[in-house]
Amino acid sequence: MKKFISAVVAAVLSATMASGLAACTGGEENSALTVFAPDGAPALSVARLYEGELREKFDVNIVDANTIQTYVSGENAQADIAIMPVNAAVKLLGSGEKYRMLGTVTHGNLYILKKEGGQDITSSNLSSLVGKTVGVINLSNVPGLTFKAILSDNDLQFNELKDGASVAADKVNLKAIEATEAVPTNADCDYFVVPEPAASTKVSATGGKLSFAGDLQKLYEGGEGYPQAVAVAKTTVSAEDIAAFTDTFAGAKEWLMDENTSAETIVSAVNSLMYKDDYKSTLTANTLTKTVIENCGIDFVSAAQSKADVLEYMSKINSVSPSGFGTPSDEFFYSV
């Protein structure tokens, strides 16, 4: 009898433990890797994961770009994999202890817009911005830091218009603005630095009163762009799962650029992946042309291949940042 009772207790305990393990790991029905990506260009890179077997393998969640850091923070971070700005990834995860960088996902989507009468800006006449004021959306982050690095590389001084600072005649003046302030009626700014797809939206909405004047990717050293958004994965994610995820990028741009993939399909796909039902993507079908997609700089480059570029870029933006973001360790870069 005692043996029978012991067997029953053992069976109950075994079932309870199995149930608890399934709850912790998600079980067979919830075994998909949790992926978080910010809205905008990074969201386009994972839009193809909205259906079929890919959707079953990867639980993709598109979130407000300002909140992406929260999903890789804390002891029980929600994201198995995340796409985020390289500077934030390095600052939060650069030790490589919890997450490793899988590769660079986007390589720049920043453009200079001019008002009517303004001139185009190239590497040969960048100094024409001296004495002018450039409004920069997100001046303290990648857009502003990249632009500052470009100016610094060209021996041009900049002046941030904050804390009562006056416009300097011998420097490029930089003003932090919101997206709503990048308009032709903004008398305080001569030019604007705006990311795609917002840049094309601005040009279209103003009927040409704002137009493209410069390409920061071409102005950056080498003219091939810079590491902007990167994919990171928890150190606990298996090599097999990492390979499965990075393989999805091989067809991502091809799918986006395919003439049979409409803008409506892409935007619908992104919206279907929203983390919260009440949040809609900033992407719109009427402005998401193939040119805009091309301008988003989507191209996955492995950590091994992009390591040198990331280190160089971090060095450049650290030199123009008041606080800096640190330097990533060798362990931060994933290697097969």
Side-chain angles (χ1 to χ4, degrees):
M1 183 67 175
K2 288 182 180 179
K3 290 182 178 180
F4 174 75
I5 293 174
S6 297
V8 171
V9 171
V12 171
L13 287 174
S14 178
T16 302
M17 290 175 66
S19 175
L21 181 60
C24 291
T25 61
E28 290 299 319
E29 294 183 358
N30 298 294
S31 59
L33 290 172
T34 304
V35 181
F36 282 86
D39 192 21
L44 290 175
S45 71
V46 293
R48 194 171 69 97
L49 307 184
Y50 77 104
E51 66 177 0
E53 294 181 3
L54 292 175
R55 185 69 178 265
E56 294 174 6
K57 181 70 175 176
F58 304 105
D59 177 20
V60 180
N61 303 275
I62 308 299
V63 298
D64 185 317
N66 295 319
T67 67
I68 188 62
Q69 298 182 32
T70 63
Y71 302 101
V72 296
S73 302
E75 289 299 317
N76 298 304
Q78 288 179 259
D80 293 317
I81 297 173
I83 297 174
M84 58 194 302
V86 64
N87 60 321
V90 168
K91 183 174 183 178
L92 291 173
L93 314 169
S95 68
E97 294 178 7
K98 295 182 178 181
Y99 286 84
R100 290 171 295 185
M101 182 188 126
L102 307 182
T104 306
V105 177
T106 65
H107 300 262
N109 65 332
L110 300 172
Y111 294 85
I112 301 174
L113 301 184
K114 64 181 178 181
K115 297 179 181 179
E116 290 181 297
Q119 63 178 321
D120 289 342
I121 303 300
T122 66
S123 56
S124 61
N125 72 343
L126 192 61
S127 61
S128 65
L129 293 176
V130 172
K132 300 290 195 299
T133 297
V134 182
V136 183
I137 297 175
N138 212 345
L139 179 60
S140 63
N141 213 309
V142 167
L145 295 170
T146 304
F147 190 45
K148 288 178 182 179
I150 290 169
L151 294 174
S152 181
D153 279 349
N154 286 272
D155 299 320
L156 297 175
Q157 294 184 304
F158 53 85
N159 172 46
E160 286 195 50
L161 298 179
K162 61 180 183 179
D163 301 326
S166 300
V167 173
D170 59 345
K171 298 177 183 178
V172 179
N173 299 282
L174 306 178
K175 182 178 177 64
I177 63 169
E178 299 295 328
T180 53
E181 297 177 276
V183 291
T185 54
N186 187 333
D188 294 331
C189 300
D190 302 294
Y191 294 88
F192 304 95
V193 171
V194 183
E196 281 283 34
S200 288
T201 301
K202 292 283 184 184
V203 171
S204 177
T206 60
K209 291 183 179 180
L210 285 181
S211 58
F212 285 94
D215 181 334
L216 262 63
Q217 292 65 239
K218 292 181 179 178
L219 292 173
Y220 185 78
E221 182 179 329
E224 298 296 329
Y226 43 88
Q228 186 174 22
V230 298
V232 297
K234 283 183 176 179
T235 55
T236 53
V237 177
S238 70
E240 180 182 0
D241 284 339
I242 287 175
F245 179 72
T246 56
D247 283 349
T248 67
F249 289 112
K253 189 172 182 180
E254 181 180 351
W255 178 78
L256 290 166
M257 296 300 292
D258 192 313
E259 61 180 13
N260 294 316
T261 307
S262 68
E264 288 79 10
T265 297
I266 296 169
V267 173
S268 177
V270 172
N271 277 320
S272 75
L273 297 171
M274 286 296 161
Y275 185 52
K276 296 181 179 180
D277 293 337
D278 59 350
Y279 181 71
K280 295 298 181 184
S281 175
T282 56
L283 302 171
T284 59
N286 63 327
T287 58
L288 193 62
T289 65
K290 298 304 181 186
T291 298
V292 170
I293 294 172
E294 185 70 37
N295 287 348
C296 286
I298 299 168
D299 182 26
F300 182 80
V301 180
S302 72
Q305 292 177 304
S306 59
K307 179 179 179 178
D309 290 336
V310 168
L311 291 173
E312 181 181 29
Y313 181 72
M314 291 308 304
S315 175
K316 288 179 182 294
I317 65 172
N318 279 332
S319 69
V320 295
S321 173
S323 55
F325 302 94
T327 300
S329 68
D330 286 340
E331 290 73 20
F332 177 64
F333 299 94
Y334 175 76
S335 59
V336 180

